[in-house]
């Protein structure tokens, strides 16, 4: 009888310890709202809400800290360029991030383009040497649809002393891409809608419309359930990749206008499908077209078409 009581006491103590001890999980690139909710008890989990400060103040996931997407972007001349390492170091330290932190990036979940912001921040954190990373699939919209709690409480985080170093294996520079174009030894994937790829329009930061020579078009929104920011499951992602011009054995560079949509293709190939040798070209077509060396551009429109395009962009900027 005494042995039975001892066994029951030990079992009860074990249950109490399990119930009050943070659960250790290996970071997955995508988390559902329910999966994230379970992980919120772990003090090493840091939810990074990249919406603007006003949206964050209205309501956010409990414990989430705000780091608006603009803080992760480059100058107005080309927002795709990485901010300087000192600036990024100050940012990640202010968020209390370190290699022991599991950082979960959360955007609004408005649409596929919004997902690109999460993917770009995820990529930036990985470039800075952090490994335990996830994106909340569907963002705050999916969290709300799951009827999970939010609050508007201010969150204070102790700063870290983490000193990141850039992982160059994830970054494609303009010089490197130019070498690939010349040698024809890499797969260049354009994540933009067809009109950009075909040279029918351009982003304001790009000087010329068109795409990289020999690039293939894999539009960023192919990875999502129609009309949503919900990234498809791994099996469906494999089917999308199988029907696309992707060669997993070949070095791959993902690009777009300013490294936003391209981050989604990078995330899909590198993180979800586990494809090696995938890089993001952060400056993308803006950097390529601004290069003083006059780099080659495919699908470039005629001079007349280019002038008409420039006029439309000027009108849109001036009167809208």
């Amino acid at each position: 009888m005494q042995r039975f009581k001892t066994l029951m006491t030990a079992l009860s103590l074990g249950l109490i310890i399990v119930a009050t001890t943070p659960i250790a999980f290996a970071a997955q690139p995508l988390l559902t709202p329910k999966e994230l909710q379970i992980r919120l008890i772990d003090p090493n989990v840091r939810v990074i809400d990249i919406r603007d400060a006003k949206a964050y103040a209205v309501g956010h996931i409990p414990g989430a800290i705000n780091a608006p997407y603009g803080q992760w972007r480059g100058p107005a001349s080309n927002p795709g360029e990485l901010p300087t390492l000192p600036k990024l170091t100050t940012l990640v330290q202010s968020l209390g991030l370190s290699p022991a932190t599991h950082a979960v990036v959360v955007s609004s979940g408005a649409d596929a383009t919004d997902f690109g912001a999460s993917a770009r921040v995820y990529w930036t954190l990985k470039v800075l040497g952090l490994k335990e990373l996830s994106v909340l699939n569907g963002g705050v919209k999916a969290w709300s649809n799951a009827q999970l709690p939010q609050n508007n409480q201010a969150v204070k985080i102790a700063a870290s002393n983490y000193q990141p170093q850039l992982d160059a294996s994830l970054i494609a520079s303009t010089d490197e891409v130019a070498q690939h174009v010349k040698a024809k030894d890499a797969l260049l994937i354009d994540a933009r809608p067809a009109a950009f790829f075909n040279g029918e329009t351009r982003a304001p930061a790009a000087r010329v419309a068109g795409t990289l020579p020999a690039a293939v078009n894999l539009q960023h929104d192919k990875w999502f359930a129609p009309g949503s920011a919900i990234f498809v499951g791994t099996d469906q992602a494999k089917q999308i990749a199988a029907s696309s011009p992707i060669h997993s054995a070949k070095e791959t560079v993902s690009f777009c206008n300013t490294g936003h949509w391209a981050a989604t293709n990078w995330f899909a190939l590198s993180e979800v499908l586990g494809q090696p040798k995938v890089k993001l070209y952060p400056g993308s077509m803006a950097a390529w077209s601004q290069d003083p060396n006059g780099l080659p551009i495919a699908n470039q429109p005629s001079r007349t078409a280019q002038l008409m395009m420039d006029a439309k962009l000027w009108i849109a900027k001036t009167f809208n």
Side-chain angles (χ1 to χ4, degrees):
M1 186 66 178
Q2 182 61 38
R3 176 181 286 180
F4 177 76
K5 289 182 178 179
T6 301
L7 178 62
M8 292 302 294
T9 300
L11 180 60
S12 298
L13 288 173
L15 291 173
I16 292 171
I17 292 172
V18 169
T20 57
T21 301
I23 303 172
F25 297 93
Q28 305 167 30
L30 287 166
L31 294 177
T32 66
K34 288 291 187 182
E35 289 170 339
L36 175 56
Q37 185 188 35
I38 293 171
R39 287 159 172 78
L40 292 181
I41 64 171
D42 187 342
N44 289 322
V45 170
R46 182 85 71 250
V47 178
I48 303 173
D49 189 325
I50 62 171
R51 297 176 299 162
D52 63 77
K54 183 177 180 180
Y56 171 83
V58 171
H60 52 260
I61 295 170
I65 49 179
N66 191 213
Y69 184 49
Q71 297 181 7
W72 305 89
R73 301 287 273 166
S77 59
N78 186 357
E81 297 289 0
L82 269 174
T84 64
L85 181 57
K87 182 178 179 180
L88 288 172
T89 297
T90 299
L91 178 56
V92 298
Q93 288 181 349
S94 71
L95 299 174
L97 301 181
S98 74
T101 311
H102 176 185
V104 183
V105 185
V106 178
S107 59
S108 71
D111 51 28
T113 289
D114 175 77
F115 183 94
S118 290
R120 175 63 191 243
V121 173
Y122 178 112
W123 173 82
T124 303
L125 292 172
K126 191 166 185 177
V127 164
L128 295 173
L130 299 174
K131 306 297 183 184
E132 297 296 304
L133 302 168
S134 301
V135 168
L136 175 60
N137 200 2
V140 174
K141 183 177 180 179
W143 182 271
S144 298
N145 289 343
Q147 298 183 332
L148 295 174
Q150 298 184 55
N151 61 44
N152 56 8
Q153 296 175 8
V155 177
K156 293 184 178 181
I157 296 293
S160 74
N161 59 3
Y162 179 55
Q163 295 293 330
Q165 298 294 322
L166 296 181
D167 183 352
S169 70
L170 301 173
I171 309 169
S173 67
T174 296
D175 287 344
E176 182 180 350
V177 174
Q179 292 172 7
H180 285 314
V181 168
K182 184 176 181 179
K184 300 179 181 179
D185 60 354
L187 179 63
L188 308 175
I189 298 182
D190 190 334
R192 301 174 300 168
F196 288 96
F197 178 78
N198 293 327
E200 297 165 3
T201 188
R202 66 173 176 83
R207 290 181 179 170
V208 182
T211 189
L212 295 177
V216 297
N217 194 201
L218 177 58
Q219 295 183 37
H220 70 103
D221 57 1
K222 285 192 173 183
W223 304 101
F224 300 89
S228 79
I230 304 295
F231 202 98
V232 298
T234 303
D235 289 343
Q236 190 172 347
K238 290 179 180 178
Q239 294 175 9
I240 294 169
S243 63
S244 303
I246 296 172
H247 308 283
S248 60
K250 203 169 186 180
E251 184 162 319
T252 301
V253 176
S254 180
F255 71 97
C256 57
N257 287 318
T258 60
H260 177 100
W261 288 326
T264 295
N265 277 354
W266 173 87
F267 182 87
L269 299 177
S270 174
E271 306 304 282
V272 176
L273 298 178
Q275 181 175 321
K277 299 185 293 185
V278 183
K279 294 186 176 184
L280 175 67
Y281 179 22
S284 288
M285 288 307 299
W288 186 266
S289 65
Q290 292 175 17
D291 192 272
N293 295 317
L295 298 170
I297 295 177
N299 299 343
Q300 187 172 342
S302 67
R303 179 61 178 164
T304 300
Q306 184 68 55
L307 289 172
M308 292 179 64
M309 192 183 304
D310 291 346
K312 289 179 180 178
L313 289 171
W314 180 84
I315 292 171
K317 179 181 179 180
T318 305
F319 299 103
N320 290 342

